[in-house]
């Protein structure tokens, strides 16, 4: 029982309460893993058979770490615990029971690529347009249905779902889902989502199987319970229904996977499901300084839907949180890199003590380039280096081929991407002909009629003509104009834009970020030759990552905030705190989405142990244009007494503007206010007739009966529109070009808002 001595009072109570329903609300850095580990060890120490304990996690890494820790306490008996991810544990059960629902016990598990490949084949067989029925979109739709336990049959019987599909021109989605499910069944295969979906089917249709596992698992523990979806929730509830010994561990403030189907209500409503639950709150943060914890608390306090807790730290007070303002995203990258260099030198730290966190993958570009220029080693965590991402390499391959048609690797990479009907057989013939004639592959397709049949010759000849036209454009254009022309006329930009999945949107944003970097290069005043070929030389050098030797772990970590969950670093830089970036523009349509963004910011803050830096830019290149950026509303929610404004501190003495800022900030920090108010915001002229300042508190709008969004690609200033949530409004300004037109609309109930038309879903009011 020595292991109990190292626990604080709340931790020990949670460990020793082994009977009945238990909820452990574990704040960031509060020793959650230790509590789970010791609770399982305590059960075994009290005589519980390890075979009767089921522990469910969300990552194999977490399960492995917990099992190793338990073994240190109870020895080899820990190997007998049923512990693993939801998918691995229930795949194991299905291997035994699958025959009861018509599957062989040696069923195949399809990975994502397998599933998408099958979906593509089905779409082709059904002669469906793969632009409208994008395979990624279809896969995501089927996955969403399975996580909500909607079978193909139920999908086709649901009138609301059918109406939605037909309204978007995708009335065959139900048939695709039905065919996909049937083909998987015929092949004796389950996809990743089936492992949970079919487990629910098994437990529902076979009471004997449910009874067997309800009595087998007398003690259940679920880690990261706030991240469970409906399918996972139902399995856990069924298995715990007999013995009632269910312990869930989690933190509603760190629920950040709503886009994957996670339902925060599972943890918020746990007490309603189990009225006699014992609740233990792990509120002491052992990771971070007091200032960092206080900043996190001041942010998350703005969320309405949360469990009550008071996270605190008894560590050193620590430095104030440094806020840095830059004039562009490139300057932001430079500022962060220089700060890391200085902090490492001043405090004798390792590179691995630093992490840079961002909201979107595309933001890594400016950070990577700045780190490279100062020879700072770094590693992209949970993802590829910006220039190693497929979509970036695809477009760069087009650039390479434009300037060097003999580049065979670039040639093979893009000759049939986007798809232009040039198959593997044709490519093999080109390779053979090139070898036989001692010519390059590009020379062969430039004279394709001599080497290929008519149909193949036409396709490859058109490709050769396209590349030659790119070379002509690039010869007389700036780097940006040439790059944009190639991205558009190659079809690559449209192919990515048509992919409306989360991954597709991310890839499209990455291409836009590359074009933004080229735009900045084109506008530099310190170089004379600004052609795309010169930019390509820079890229060739930039992508030779001499720092990543594989065994060199002393590197700065770069990652999205989602990837950072569960990690911690002595010093953390959170970059890009701007409206429409963080919080994301997609999260501003509902309170639930905005609260998830705020929880994401909370997660980012609580990764820091000793020092936290936050930065934002006042301008950023987007879609080739320099746009003004407003500081994130989240900055206004931080209590100013915990902050240090780097741009005020470094301001030159005697400058009236900065002296005014100093006066304002001193006033803020010396007052009793607990909010920064709108200090970070730019002064805005009053809007005539504006009746409210926020849509989140407004009375919900009831859409017109039969509300259906219109095509707004030709929307005009002065037209009246209706939005499902914001109500009726008038278009007062339009900016940008198709397909990224931004509309400024004055809504009668909530005032002025800016919306991207392609996402806005507006109905045009006919007078």
């Amino acid at each position: 029982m020595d292991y109990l001595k190292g626990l604080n009072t709340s931790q020990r109570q949670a460990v020793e309460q082994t009977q009945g329903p238990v909820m452990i609300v574990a704040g960031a850095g509060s020793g959650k893993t230790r509590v789970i580990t010791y609770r399982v060890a305590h059960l075994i120490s009290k005589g519980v058979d390890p075979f009767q304990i089921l522990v469910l996690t969300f990552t194999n890494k977490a399960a492995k770490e917990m099992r190793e820790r338990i073994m240190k306490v109870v020895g080899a008996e820990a190997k007998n615990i049923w512990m693993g991810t939801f998918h691995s544990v229930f795949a194991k059960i299905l291997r035994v029971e699958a025959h009861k629902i018509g599957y062989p016990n040696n069923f195949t598990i399809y990975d994502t690529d397998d599933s998408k490949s099958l979906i593509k084949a089905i779409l082709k067989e059904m002669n469906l347009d793969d632009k409208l029925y994008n395979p990624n979109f279809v896969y995501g739709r089927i996955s969403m249905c399975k996580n909500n336990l909607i079978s193909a049959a139920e999908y086709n019987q649901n009138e609301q779902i059918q109406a939605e599909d037909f309204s978007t021109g995708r009335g065959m989605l139900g048939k695709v889902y039905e065919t996909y499910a049937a083909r998987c069944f015929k092949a004796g295969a389950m996809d990743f989502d089936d492992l949970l979906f079919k487990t629910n089917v098994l437990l529902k249709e076979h009471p004997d199987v449910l009874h067997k596992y309800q009595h087998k698992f007398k003690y259940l523990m679920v880690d990261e319970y706030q991240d469970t979806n409906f399918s996972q929730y139902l399995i856990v509830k069924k298995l715990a229904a007999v013995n009632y010994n269910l312990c869930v561990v989690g933190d509603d403030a760190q629920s950040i996977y709503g886009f994957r189907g996670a339902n925060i209500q599972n943890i918020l409503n746990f007490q309603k499901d189990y009225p006699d639950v014992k609740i233990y709150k792990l509120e002491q943060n052992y990771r971070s300084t007091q200032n960092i914890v206080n900043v996190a608390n001041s942010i998350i306090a703005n969320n309405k839907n949360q469990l009550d807790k008071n996270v605190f730290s008894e560590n050193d007070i620590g430095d104030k949180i440094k806020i840095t303002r830059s004039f562009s995203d490139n300057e932001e990258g430079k500022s962060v890199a220089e700060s890391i260099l200085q902090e490492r030198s001043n405090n004798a730290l390792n590179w691995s003590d630093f992490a840079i966190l961002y909201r979107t993958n595309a933001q890594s570009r400016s950070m990577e380039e700045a780190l490279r220029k100062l020879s700072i080693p770094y590693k992209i965590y949970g993802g590829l280096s910006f220039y190693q991402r497929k979509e970036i390499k695809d477009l760069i391959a087009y650039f390479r081929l434009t300037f060097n048609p003999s580049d065979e690797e670039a040639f093979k990479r893009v000759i049939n991407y986007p798809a232009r009907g040039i198959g593997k057989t044709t490519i093999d013939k080109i390779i053979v002909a090139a070898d036989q004639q001692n010519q390059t592959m590009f020379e062969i397709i430039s004279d394709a009629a001599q080497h290929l049949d008519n149909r193949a010759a036409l396709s490859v000849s058109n490709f050769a003509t396209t590349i030659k036209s790119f070379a002509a454009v690039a010869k007389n254009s700036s780097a940006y104009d040439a790059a944009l022309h190639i991205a558009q006329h190659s079809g690559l930009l449209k192919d990515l834009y048509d992919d409306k999945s989360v991954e597709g949107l991310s890839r499209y944003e990455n291409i836009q970020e590359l074009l933004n970097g080229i735009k900045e290069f084109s506008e530099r005043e310190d170089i004379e030759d600004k052609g795309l070929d010169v930019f390509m030389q820079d890229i060739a050098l930039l992508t030779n990552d001499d720092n990543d030797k594989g065994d060199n772990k002393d590197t700065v970590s770069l990652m999205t905030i989602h990837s950072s969950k569960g990690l911690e670093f002595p010093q953390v830089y959170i970059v890009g705190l701007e409206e429409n970036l963080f919080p994301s523009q997609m999260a501003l349509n509902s309170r639930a989405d905005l609260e998830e963004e705020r929880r994401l910011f909370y997660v980012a803050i609580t990764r820091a142990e000793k020092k936290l830096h936050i930065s934002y830019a006042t301008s950023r290149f987007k879609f080739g244009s320099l746009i003004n950026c407003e500081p994130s509303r989240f900055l206004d929610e931080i209590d100013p007494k915990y902050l240090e404004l780097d741009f005020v501190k470094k301001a030159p003495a005697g400058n009236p503007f900065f002296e005014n800022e100093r006066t304002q900030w001193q006033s803020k920090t010396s007052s009793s206010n607990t909010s920064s108010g709108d200090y970070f915001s730019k002064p805005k002229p009053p809007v005539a007739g504006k009746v409210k300042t926020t849509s989140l508190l407004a009375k919900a709008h009831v859409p017109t009966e039969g509300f259906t969004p219109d095509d707004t690609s030709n929307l005009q200033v002065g037209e009246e529109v209706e939005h499902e949530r914001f109500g009726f409004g008038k278009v007062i300004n339009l900016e940008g070009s198709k397909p990224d037109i931004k509309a400024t609309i004055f809504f009668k109930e909530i005032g002025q808002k800016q919306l991207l038309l392609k996402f806005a879903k507006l109905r045009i009011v006919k007078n």
Side-chain angles (χ1 to χ4, degrees):
M1 303 289 282
D2 288 345
Y3 56 86
L4 295 176
K5 295 177 182 177
L7 303 174
N8 65 32
T9 302
S10 297
Q11 290 174 333
R12 180 160 183 161
Q13 289 174 344
V15 167
E16 293 183 319
Q17 180 62 48
T18 57
Q19 301 301 309
V22 174
M23 179 165 69
I24 302 173
V25 183
S30 61
K32 176 197 71 170
T33 303
R34 172 186 285 192
V35 170
I36 296 173
T37 299
Y38 288 174
R39 191 174 189 275
V40 174
H42 193 62
L43 283 168
I44 296 173
S45 298
K46 290 180 66 176
V48 175
D49 186 343
F51 285 101
Q52 297 177 334
I53 301 173
L54 172 61
V55 183
L56 297 170
T57 68
F58 274 83
T59 66
N60 290 311
K61 179 183 175 184
K64 182 173 182 289
E65 180 184 349
M66 288 179 194
R67 192 185 298 276
E68 289 173 351
R69 289 195 189 187
I70 295 168
M71 286 182 67
K72 290 180 179 178
V73 180
V74 300
E77 278 291 284
K79 294 181 180 179
N80 299 325
I81 303 165
W82 278 65
M83 176 182 285
T85 65
F86 277 87
H87 293 87
S88 65
V89 166
F90 295 116
K92 185 177 178 181
I93 289 175
L94 285 168
R95 289 290 181 204
V96 177
E97 313 290 351
H99 64 280
K100 289 186 168 66
I101 54 174
Y103 280 84
N105 294 105
N106 63 339
F107 60 86
T108 299
I109 298 176
Y110 278 173
D111 64 16
T112 303
D113 288 339
D114 294 326
S115 296
K116 290 182 180 178
S117 178
L118 176 55
I119 288 169
K120 287 178 183 177
I122 292 170
L123 295 175
K124 186 175 181 180
E125 292 165 14
M126 296 175 68
N127 293 315
L128 295 175
D129 182 359
D130 61 2
K131 302 299 181 188
L132 185 60
Y133 291 86
N134 183 282
N136 290 323
F137 172 83
V138 175
Y139 173 78
R141 184 80 164 180
I142 293 174
S143 175
M144 179 274 292
C145 289
K146 290 182 178 179
N147 286 330
N148 286 282
L149 302 184
I150 301 172
S151 67
E154 290 167 330
Y155 188 99
N156 285 313
Q157 292 166 7
N158 189 303
E159 293 181 3
Q160 183 178 349
I161 292 176
Q162 292 300 303
E164 180 182 339
D165 285 350
F166 277 100
S167 71
T168 60
R170 299 187 181 98
M172 295 296 290
L173 270 174
K175 183 64 177 175
V176 174
Y177 183 10
E178 181 183 343
T179 306
Y180 173 78
R183 293 276 281 274
C184 286
F185 183 77
K186 184 179 179 181
M190 295 189 197
D191 65 21
F192 200 62
D193 297 306
D194 277 329
L195 297 176
L196 301 182
F197 180 79
K198 298 299 182 184
T199 297
N200 270 292
V201 171
L202 177 69
L203 299 180
K204 180 181 179 181
E205 295 182 353
H206 296 273
D208 58 320
V209 176
L210 175 59
H211 179 272
K212 172 182 175 180
Y213 290 100
Q214 282 176 332
H215 289 81
K216 176 178 180 62
F217 301 127
K218 295 185 177 179
Y219 295 87
L220 274 73
M221 288 190 69
V222 184
D223 188 20
E224 305 285 11
Y225 190 67
Q226 77 279 353
D227 293 333
T228 53
N229 59 31
F230 179 63
S231 181
Q232 293 162 329
Y233 162 83
L234 210 56
I235 292 172
V236 170
K237 191 172 184 180
K238 286 178 179 178
L239 291 179
V242 171
N243 293 296
Y244 223 45
N245 295 322
L246 171 62
C247 174
V248 300
V249 186
D251 181 8
D252 59 296
Q254 297 185 68
S255 178
I256 60 173
Y257 294 113
F259 66 94
R260 292 183 186 169
N263 188 352
I264 192 175
Q265 296 303 320
N266 291 348
I267 193 168
L268 295 179
N269 294 332
F270 190 77
Q271 193 168 4
K272 292 181 181 178
D273 287 341
Y274 303 92
D276 55 343
V277 62
K278 298 285 194 302
I279 300 176
Y280 300 96
K281 297 179 181 179
L282 310 184
E283 298 174 307
Q284 183 171 354
N285 182 307
Y286 292 93
R287 175 188 301 154
S288 308
T289 65
Q290 292 182 37
N291 270 333
I292 291 171
V293 170
N294 290 336
V295 164
N297 288 343
S298 70
I299 284 292
I300 206 64
N302 290 276
N303 273 8
K304 289 193 171 184
N305 298 316
Q306 60 178 308
L307 298 171
D308 180 50
K309 56 183 173 296
N310 178 35
V311 179
F312 67 94
S313 172
E314 293 183 353
N315 295 335
D316 294 338
I317 294 176
D319 293 336
K320 289 187 175 184
I321 282 60
K322 185 176 288 187
I323 308 289
T324 302
R325 178 176 67 191
S326 302
F327 294 109
S328 70
D329 43 353
N330 272 4
E331 185 185 313
E332 182 185 38
K334 180 182 177 184
S335 174
V336 168
E338 289 175 346
S339 175
I340 290 174
L341 203 61
Q342 184 176 355
E343 290 286 341
R344 178 177 181 268
S345 175
N346 291 348
N347 301 293
L349 299 173
N350 296 317
W351 296 121
S352 57
D353 292 328
F354 298 91
I356 303 173
L357 310 183
Y358 34 77
R359 179 64 181 85
T360 66
N361 276 311
Q363 290 171 260
S364 75
R365 179 193 61 83
S366 57
M367 297 296 144
E368 288 190 69
E369 291 183 1
L371 293 171
R372 288 178 188 276
K373 286 177 181 176
L374 294 181
S375 299
I376 297 175
Y378 68 88
K379 182 80 173 177
I380 301 288
Y381 187 96
L384 295 170
S385 166
F386 181 82
Y387 292 103
Q388 293 301 311
R389 296 183 177 119
K390 179 186 179 300
E391 60 276 13
I392 300 299
K393 294 181 76 172
D394 288 338
L395 185 51
I396 287 177
Y398 271 107
F399 296 165
R400 286 164 49 187
L401 205 57
T402 296
F403 293 103
N404 179 17
S406 299
D407 187 334
E408 293 197 357
E409 289 305 310
F411 180 96
K412 288 186 286 187
R413 186 177 188 93
V414 299
I415 187 172
N416 197 41
Y417 178 73
R420 47 179 63 89
I422 303 173
K424 183 177 183 299
T425 301
T426 300
I427 296 172
D428 288 343
K429 288 180 179 178
I430 295 170
I431 293 172
V432 169
D435 287 342
Q436 290 177 345
Q437 302 297 322
N438 194 27
Q439 292 180 309
T440 67
M441 295 172 72
F442 193 81
E443 287 172 330
I444 295 297
I445 68 169
S446 296
D447 189 18
Q450 299 296 319
H451 308 285
L452 303 169
D453 60 52
N454 291 340
R455 185 180 174 187
L458 179 61
S459 297
V460 298
S461 293
N462 288 340
F463 177 70
T465 301
T466 298
I467 298 301
K468 289 174 182 176
S469 72
F470 291 167
V473 170
K475 187 175 181 180
N476 300 301
S477 303
S478 70
Y480 175 72
D481 290 339
L484 182 60
H485 178 89
I486 294 169
Q488 291 174 333
H489 290 81
S490 65
L492 187 148
L493 202 58
K494 183 180 185 302
D495 187 72
L496 294 176
Y497 176 77
D498 288 340
D499 183 352
K500 301 302 182 184
S501 67
V502 174
E503 296 86 354
L505 179 61
S506 176
R507 287 191 283 267
Y508 180 72
E509 289 177 344
N510 287 337
I511 289 294
Q512 292 295 348
E513 184 62 21
L514 175 62
L515 294 174
N516 291 341
I518 299 173
K519 177 79 167 180
E520 293 177 30
F521 171 83
S522 297
E523 296 179 352
R524 281 173 56 180
E525 297 180 355
D526 58 331
I527 55 175
E528 291 184 12
D529 191 346
K530 302 175 184 178
L532 185 57
D533 55 337
V534 178
F535 178 82
M536 289 301 298
Q537 290 176 31
D538 289 349
I539 292 297
L541 295 173
L542 198 62
T543 54
N544 286 332
D545 193 349
D546 298 325
N547 298 317
D548 187 10
K549 304 299 183 184
D551 56 351
N552 178 16
K553 297 182 179 179
D554 188 21
T555 56
V556 175
S557 296
L558 274 68
M559 66 191 79
T560 63
I561 300 168
H562 282 100
S563 297
S564 74
K565 192 166 180 287
L567 303 176
E568 56 191 47
F569 302 90
Q571 296 214 22
V572 168
Y573 291 77
I574 310 174
V575 300
L577 260 291
E578 299 140 34
E579 284 291 292
N580 298 323
L581 182 56
F582 198 13
S584 164
Q585 185 172 20
M586 301 293 288
L588 301 181
N589 289 331
S590 72
R591 178 181 294 281
D593 290 341
L594 181 60
E595 291 202 348
E596 177 151 324
E597 286 288 294
R598 191 176 283 114
R599 293 194 294 269
L600 190 59
F601 188 36
Y602 176 87
V603 166
I605 291 169
T606 54
R607 299 311 94 199
E609 299 172 350
K610 302 292 184 183
K611 203 163 185 177
L612 176 65
H613 312 253
I614 299 174
S615 66
Y616 68 94
T618 57
S619 66
R620 195 175 285 271
F621 270 95
K622 189 172 184 181
F623 307 129
S625 300
L626 190 65
I627 62 168
N628 292 326
C629 304
E630 293 188 13
S632 170
R633 67 188 68 195
F634 295 153
L635 293 173
D636 288 334
E637 295 173 354
I638 302 176
D639 191 324
K641 67 185 177 185
Y642 303 124
L643 302 180
E644 172 189 314
L645 268 66
D646 197 39
F647 52 89
V648 173
K649 179 182 175 184
K650 292 180 177 178
N655 184 308
F657 173 75
F658 284 108
E659 289 300 332
N660 182 46
E661 287 208 358
R662 281 197 185 93
T663 303
Q664 285 188 57
W665 190 250
Q666 288 165 359
S667 172
K668 288 277 184 187
T669 53
S670 62
S671 70
S672 59
N673 292 341
T674 57
S675 170
S676 307
D678 54 353
Y679 176 80
F680 292 98
S681 303
K682 300 174 183 177
K684 301 180 183 69
V687 178
K690 189 170 181 178
V691 294
K692 293 183 181 178
T693 58
T694 175
S695 64
L696 297 177
L697 302 180
K699 183 178 179 181
H701 169 69
V702 179
T704 301
E705 186 175 353
F707 178 95
T708 303
D710 288 319
D711 176 7
T712 56
S713 58
N714 295 312
L715 192 68
Q716 301 295 316
V717 172
E719 287 194 89
E720 292 190 4
V721 296
E722 181 186 8
H723 187 278
E724 280 189 291
R725 291 192 181 92
F726 307 148
F728 293 96
K730 179 176 283 190
V731 181
I732 61 176
N733 187 45
L734 294 168
E735 57 183 278
S737 57
K738 296 179 183 179
D740 302 302
I741 298 174
K742 184 185 291 183
T744 302
I745 303 173
F746 181 81
F747 291 99
K748 295 177 183 178
E749 291 297 321
I750 64 166
Q752 185 172 305
K753 290 189 76 68
Q754 279 194 328
L755 303 173
L756 265 177
L757 288 184
K758 63 184 179 184
F759 297 126
K761 295 184 180 179
L762 300 172
R763 181 181 75 86
I764 299 174
V765 178
K766 309 290 194 300
N767 294 322

